[in-house]
Amino acid sequence: MYRVWNFVTTYSLLLIGGAVIALIWANIAPNSYHDVVEFVLIDDFIIGHAHEVNGEIHRTLTLHYLVNDVLMALFFAMAAKEVWEAVVLEEGSLRGSKAVTPLIATLGGMMGPVAVYLGLAAVLGVYATVSQGWAIPTATDIAFSYLVGRMVFGAGHPAIRFLLLLAIADDAGGLLILAVFYPSGELAPEWLLLSFGAAAAVFVLANWLPRYMDRGNQLRPNSTFARKVLSFWPYLIAGCLSWYAFQEAGIHPALGLLPIVPTIPHADRGFGIFAEAEEHMHDLLNTMEHHLKYPVEIILLFFGLLNAGVEFSAISEPTWLVMAGLLIGKPLGILAMGWVGARLLGFGLPEGMTMRDVFVLGCVAAIGFTVALFVASVAFDAGLVQDAAKMGALFSFAAAGIALLAGKLLRIQKVEY
């Protein structure tokens, strides 16, 4: 538990603290809370919330926009780094046939919640009001799910690796959903030429070209210059251009760094998001992640503070729909599609796993929280519906108790080593 607890304390306790403070503040003094959330930093600026004034588009940079749309881009870049390494590295966890069943189960873990959410919305007669929030219960919080998974299965159980594969793939799917289905404004896809142009330029000039010029030279002077002198600056400039292009293209700008992450020089192997060995890797991609660690902790504190402030009086149908999508749709979807992948298609399960483990793992993966909160904030305009949906994301922590109970009832054997 040492590595997991370290991860949870560094990345999640501040997030939880911010969320708890926000809940208390919003229920004691809601007016002052919302005044702080929407505090205007700069009016009529080049970045910020877009609104029309006298037929022209003006942008207002608020505290909420700064955190959710600008600073959270660093959080999503770190998530993208894990996904990228899992896909492209030779030993990557999402590469090859070993990842097929977890990937199929991930698909079920996203389809199941959507089906439950929209189905119950239709039954309750609120479909038109809440249908835009269908993606909220598709999220899985990696850190908390991993922590609970270790409590249920033990450190050495093959279900833990399966869970990590599923959670990383879920992150990838979540990023894709945000980009495609939740535009931040009028779509102007021609701006993406700037984003991908910046990515191509920085890859060629700061990554590929120095290595090409060093071919046959063991001293590698150009690569050394690029790594030690240029360092992260070319990627920072490209990242700013890509972020701005996403904003202008109408795609959520918090995803604006995603095209840049694959261009950064990386090691030829990765140990995974919770591995201690990651701290000792000094390729530029890992070095940048190490330097972002503490800033992202503070960003998550403010993300929780500015997004989790929901009045308890806002609890309504969207709360129960998000909860049902996560707590019912997620386990059943993972179980159903896990069975399809393992049995019907014949890809099998890791040695030592059974379908009982897959079901309990689905219960563990039902903890949404971080990404579910983020999706709720972009799926609905600020108001009662958004607040109710956010409360459902917060209540998804009930999945931890359900998973522990399911593990006991189904007699899951813990494997510590």
Side-chain angles (χ1 to χ4, degrees), residues 74-199:
L74 299 176
F75 169 81
F76 284 112
M78 293 179 71
K81 180 254 186 188
E82 296 298 328
V83 174
W84 173 246
E85 289 190 333
V87 170
V88 301
L89 296 185
E90 187 174 344
E91 297 298 323
S93 57
L94 295 182
R95 184 167 177 163
S97 59
K98 61 187 175 183
V100 174
T101 299
L103 288 176
I104 294 173
T106 300
L107 184 62
M110 302 183 83
M111 293 169 56
V114 173
V116 170
Y117 180 95
L118 293 179
L120 284 179
V123 170
L124 295 174
V126 294
Y127 184 91
T129 305
V130 304
S131 61
Q132 185 66 10
W134 60 270
I136 300 171
T138 62
T140 293
D141 191 291
I142 294 180
F144 288 111
S145 294
Y146 188 61
L147 174 63
V148 174
R150 289 282 290 261
M151 295 169 65
V152 174
F153 295 104
H157 200 291
I160 295 298
R161 184 167 179 81
F162 193 106
L163 175 64
L164 267 180
L165 294 177
L166 185 145
I168 291 172
D170 193 276
D171 262 12
L175 295 175
L176 183 63
I177 286 172
L178 277 171
V180 174
F181 295 101
Y182 292 101
S184 60
E186 287 289 328
L187 289 177
E190 63 273 12
W191 275 96
L192 293 180
L193 294 174
L194 173 60
S195 175
F196 293 111

Side-chain angles (χ1 to χ4, degrees), residues 17 65-66 72 78 207 212 216 245 251 256 269 280 305 310 324 328 342-343 361 366 373 383 390 399:
Y65 190 93
L66 177 65
M72 280 296 284
M78 293 179 71
N207 186 343
Y212 180 79
I251 300 174
R269 60 184 305 202
H280 305 291
L305 183 63
V310 181
I328 299 173
R343 301 285 188 264
L361 181 148
L373 271 179
K390 286 182 175 180

Side-chain angles (χ1 to χ4, degrees), residues 90-414:
E90 187 174 344
E91 297 298 323
S93 57
L94 295 182
R95 184 167 177 163
S97 59
K98 61 187 175 183
V100 174
T101 299
L103 288 176
I104 294 173
T106 300
L107 184 62
M110 302 183 83
M111 293 169 56
V114 173
V116 170
Y117 180 95
L118 293 179
L120 284 179
V123 170
L124 295 174
V126 294
Y127 184 91
T129 305
V130 304
S131 61
Q132 185 66 10
W134 60 270
I136 300 171
T138 62
T140 293
D141 191 291
I142 294 180
F144 288 111
S145 294
Y146 188 61
L147 174 63
V148 174
R150 289 282 290 261
M151 295 169 65
V152 174
F153 295 104
H157 200 291
I160 295 298
R161 184 167 179 81
F162 193 106
L163 175 64
L164 267 180
L165 294 177
L166 185 145
I168 291 172
D170 193 276
D171 262 12
L175 295 175
L176 183 63
I177 286 172
L178 277 171
V180 174
F181 295 101
Y182 292 101
S184 60
E186 287 289 328
L187 289 177
E190 63 273 12
W191 275 96
L192 293 180
L193 294 174
L194 173 60
S195 175
F196 293 111
V202 77
F203 173 76
V204 170
L205 297 177
N207 186 343
W208 176 82
L209 184 60
R211 289 186 288 110
Y212 180 79
M213 294 171 66
D214 284 339
R215 65 193 188 284
N217 186 344
Q218 292 185 352
L219 295 178
R220 300 170 58 82
N222 297 292
S223 299
T224 301
F225 174 83
R227 181 169 58 87
K228 291 187 175 181
V229 179
L230 296 181
S231 187
F232 64 89
W233 290 105
Y235 304 96
L236 175 62
I237 295 169
C240 291
L241 291 173
S242 180
W243 184 95
Y244 184 76
F246 268 56
Q247 176 191 253
E248 297 301 306
I251 300 174
H252 206 285
L255 306 179
L257 300 183
L258 268 57
I260 308 302
V261 171
T263 71
I264 303 172
H266 57 81
D268 58 0
R269 60 184 305 202
F271 296 94
I273 192 169
F274 299 107
E276 191 167 4
E278 286 275 282
E279 298 178 1
H280 305 291
M281 299 184 70
H282 301 294
D283 58 284
L284 186 57
L285 185 56
N286 274 293
T287 299
M288 291 172 70
E289 184 182 39
H290 300 160
H291 282 101
L292 286 174
K293 175 184 174 185
Y294 294 110
V296 167
E297 292 173 25
I298 305 301
I299 290 167
L300 287 176
L301 166 67
F302 282 102
F303 174 77
L305 183 63
L306 298 180
N307 287 275
V310 181
E311 297 177 55
F312 288 109
S313 59
I315 296 175
S316 60
E317 288 90 346
T319 306
W320 314 123
L321 292 175
V322 172
M323 282 189 67
L326 284 165
L327 302 183
I328 299 173
K330 180 78 76 171
L332 293 181
I334 289 174
L335 177 65
M337 293 303 287
W339 179 86
V340 169
R343 301 285 188 264
L344 191 61
L345 299 179
F347 290 107
L349 293 171
E351 185 177 351
M353 274 191 73
T354 67
M355 293 310 298
R356 288 184 304 164
D357 298 317
V358 174
F359 173 73
V360 177
L361 181 148
C363 296
V364 175
I367 302 174
F369 197 45
T370 312
V371 179
L373 271 179
F374 188 90
V375 176
S377 72
V378 301
F380 298 116
D381 293 331
L384 292 177
V385 176
Q386 184 190 97
D387 288 351
K390 286 182 175 180
M391 192 62 79
L394 294 173
F395 285 167
S396 71
F397 275 114
I402 294 172
L404 290 166
L405 179 61
K408 292 291 184 184
L409 293 177
L410 294 177
R411 299 180 180 180
I412 299 299
Q413 296 295 317
K414 293 180 72 173

